[in-house]
Amino acid sequence: MKSRSRRFAAVDILLILMMVLPIAAAIALKVLTTPASEGINITGARIFFTIPMPVQDLPITEAQVNSWLVLITIFGLCLYLTHGLSVRGGSRRQHAVEWIVEKCQNMVNDSMGEYFKGFAPFIAAIIGLSAFSSLLSLFGLFPPTSDLNVVAGWAVLVFFLITFYKLKAGPLHYLKGLTEPVALLTPINIIGEFANPVSMSFRHYGNVLSGTVISVLLAAGLQGLSSVLLGWLPGFLGEFPFLQIGIPGVLSLYFDLFSGCLQAYIFAMLTMMYVSGGFPAEEYFARKARKEQKRKQKLEVI
């Protein structure tokens, strides 16, 4: 029994390390590769190296590396939360897991309907990946959600899902929908098909990036204000940025924590709304019933 509990604890420690080490590696990589600079320095994701490709070279950026590290952290968290699950339950960890699964499933069922109940893991993955990526800014790291390429990739995936479910009732029904309510609006309807992923990506990217920029500007402004108001203090005290103590942390609770989680929730809600809203349920089930009826008629003839 003691040997089993020791193995269980050892696995838990390994899984915790799997969650912590990627973040520590990202911090170490940033410290070792960021050149020294003075004043405000707001830039995009740094390019570590470039892989030569036949058509266009592939740059490996800070956003990509941090995204991979976030994926490893989330994977370790999932393994940790699901380690030691039992039918009887009882542990706090299992109660937390069951609560998360139940809330995600209820959210999908309420927003998308019973037909899309299998979407719960996908929606939970979107929320987790987006939220954890945005929260990297709390550690002074570049959040992948501040890179348009990252969130645009998520939006393209959602676009394919939307189109896939719109085609469930057949290509002809999908093309017919582009001509409604009148054929003259067909070009606008076609533009609207591509507008959804574009708006999703720019909304998410813009809100996260603006929060990061505002936090940096406020921190720099507080440093200058501290120098103006308290620069008369003797020696080290006149150079110390007293106004930077606490105030940026309070602002970070909104720009990094609240806003990042809110944008993850909004992106997930828009995904559910666009996918379920584009699905022609009545036409799909009517088409399915006709196919089933034809299949039965063929069997009767045989």
Side-chain angles (χ1 to χ4, degrees):
M1 191 69 179
K2 291 183 179 180
S3 177
R4 183 181 177 183
S5 61
R6 289 177 181 175
R7 288 196 301 268
F8 188 89
V11 173
D12 269 357
I13 293 173
L14 291 176
L15 294 177
I16 292 174
L17 291 175
M18 188 176 180
M19 292 185 285
V20 175
L21 288 180
I23 306 300
I27 295 174
L29 183 64
K30 182 178 180 63
V31 172
L32 294 175
T33 59
T34 302
S37 61
E38 296 182 359
I40 301 175
N41 186 17
I42 302 175
T43 60
R46 290 179 296 116
I47 299 177
F48 292 122
F49 58 92
T50 302
I51 301 176
M53 302 293 286
V55 179
Q56 184 177 358
D57 293 342
L58 176 63
I60 302 301
T61 67
E62 191 176 9
Q64 292 171 304
V65 173
N66 288 350
S67 294
W68 297 335
L69 295 176
V70 167
L71 288 174
I72 297 174
T73 299
I74 294 176
F75 183 55
L77 176 62
C78 292
L79 292 178
Y80 174 77
L81 291 176
T82 56
H83 182 221
L85 294 184
S86 62
V87 178
R88 294 181 179 180
S91 65
R92 295 180 180 178
R93 189 187 310 183
Q94 183 160 341
H95 288 323
V97 172
E98 292 174 352
W99 181 84
I100 294 172
V101 172
E102 182 181 355
K103 291 299 181 182
C104 290
Q105 190 65 62
N106 291 338
M107 182 174 65
V108 171
N109 292 342
D110 295 339
S111 302
M112 305 182 74
E114 186 68 19
Y115 180 79
F116 292 96
K117 62 182 180 180
F119 257 69
F122 178 74
I123 297 301
I126 287 180
I127 295 176
L129 181 59
S130 176
F132 275 78
S133 297
S134 298
L135 293 177
L136 283 184
S137 57
L138 293 174
F139 301 94
L141 301 173
F142 182 86
T145 45
S146 292
D147 191 332
L148 182 59
N149 297 296
V150 174
V151 292
W154 301 349
V156 169
L157 176 60
V158 173
F159 170 74
F160 284 123
L161 283 173
I162 295 170
T163 306
F164 173 77
Y165 281 97
K166 283 186 175 181
L167 290 169
K168 279 285 189 176
L172 293 178
H173 182 272
Y174 173 72
L175 295 175
K176 181 182 177 182
L178 296 176
T179 62
E180 295 177 352
V182 292
L184 292 175
L185 296 178
T186 300
I188 298 178
N189 291 333
I190 294 175
I191 295 174
E193 291 293 304
F194 297 95
N196 289 339
V198 173
S199 64
M200 289 178 66
S201 57
F202 273 96
R203 180 187 292 108
H204 198 330
Y205 154 77
N207 281 287
V208 176
L209 179 63
S210 62
T212 302
V213 172
I214 291 173
S215 296
V216 174
L217 292 176
L218 285 173
L222 289 172
Q223 182 179 9
L225 184 61
S226 179
S227 177
V228 171
L229 296 179
L230 303 175
W232 55 270
L233 295 174
F236 169 76
L237 295 177
E239 300 177 358
F240 190 82
F242 285 98
L243 295 182
Q244 280 190 327
I245 300 176
I247 299 177
V250 174
L251 297 175
S252 180
L253 290 177
Y254 174 78
F255 291 117
D256 295 329
L257 185 61
F258 176 75
S259 181
C261 295
L262 179 63
Q263 293 306 316
Y265 176 76
I266 291 175
F267 193 90
M269 290 299 297
L270 289 175
T271 299
M272 293 187 288
M273 182 181 69
Y274 288 144
V275 172
S276 60
F279 175 59
E282 295 182 3
E283 291 79 3
Y284 169 73
F285 290 114
R287 186 169 183 245
K288 188 176 180 181
R290 289 194 298 269
K291 286 184 177 181
E292 183 65 21
Q293 186 176 3
K294 289 181 180 179
R295 188 184 67 84
K296 290 182 179 180
Q297 289 177 354
K298 288 182 180 179
L299 291 176
E300 291 176 357
V301 172
I302 294 174

